[in-house]
Amino acid sequence: MGYLTVKWLHVMSSTLLFGTGLGIAFFMWKAHRTGDARVIAATARTVVRADACFTAPAVLVQFASGLWLAHRLSMPLSVFWLKWALVLFFFVGACWLPVLWLQVRAHRLARAAAERGAPLPAGYHRAMGWWYALAWPAFAGVAAIFWLMVVKPAG
């Protein structure tokens, strides 16, 4: 693959990563605000699938294409902006991996409540509290990575 093709894949995967993450967060938040276990279960099921189909592959393409581009340009990973982009990438991943588990947990708890016609359990609310707490720093990290990729500050 040529440089411009890989660069295009890198930009597209970063866009997909941010856009899917923002969409998932929006729809989970809207469903959560209804308090309706059926709505939450259906939305969370879709969110989990979207993360598997779009976010996870975008993360892999983003990482692989970024390393390939740096190697192709003979750019050491110690370059200020690139080093911090990688630090943030792993920070975002450290937030995102628990979020995946929390989404699955929220889905299961909401589905079980909906099947029983019961209110959402305390475990659901704890899971969503952690989900929100981890989502904000992850989004800030992704936004900072975008800024680093565009501005490329020398440090």
Side-chain angles (χ1 to χ4, degrees):
M1 248 188 279
Y3 172 80
L4 289 178
T5 301
V6 175
K7 187 174 182 178
W8 178 80
L9 285 171
H10 190 69
V11 170
M12 291 301 291
S13 67
S14 67
T15 304
L16 183 63
L17 183 62
F18 187 74
T20 303
L22 189 58
I24 283 170
F26 176 76
F27 288 112
M28 276 296 283
W29 177 70
K30 291 297 281 182
H32 174 72
R33 291 203 25 136
T34 70
D36 185 330
R38 293 167 303 164
V39 171
I40 295 165
T43 302
R45 181 181 64 239
T46 301
V47 159
V48 168
R49 287 180 184 162
D51 259 339
C53 292
F54 301 111
T55 311
V59 167
L60 298 175
V61 170
Q62 182 76 154
F63 186 66
S65 62
L67 290 179
W68 188 92
L69 290 166
H71 176 74
R72 178 78 193 290
L73 295 171
S74 299
M75 183 181 300
L77 299 181
S78 60
V79 169
F80 177 82
W81 73 267
L82 183 54
K83 174 180 68 176
W84 282 104
L86 285 166
V87 167
L88 286 168
F89 183 86
F90 286 107
F91 169 76
V92 169
C95 292
W96 179 63
L97 289 173
V99 162
L100 292 176
W101 179 81
L102 291 163
Q103 287 172 174
V104 170
R105 179 147 174 72
H107 169 250
R108 288 180 181 156
L109 291 169
R111 184 184 66 208
E115 288 170 354
R116 291 189 322 270
L120 292 163
Y124 166 82
H125 294 288
R126 276 191 305 277
M128 288 306 295
W130 280 106
W131 186 87
Y132 284 116
L134 291 167
W136 287 109
F139 274 114
V142 172
I145 292 169
F146 263 97
W147 182 83
L148 288 166
M149 288 190 325
V150 171
V151 176
K152 295 179 177 55

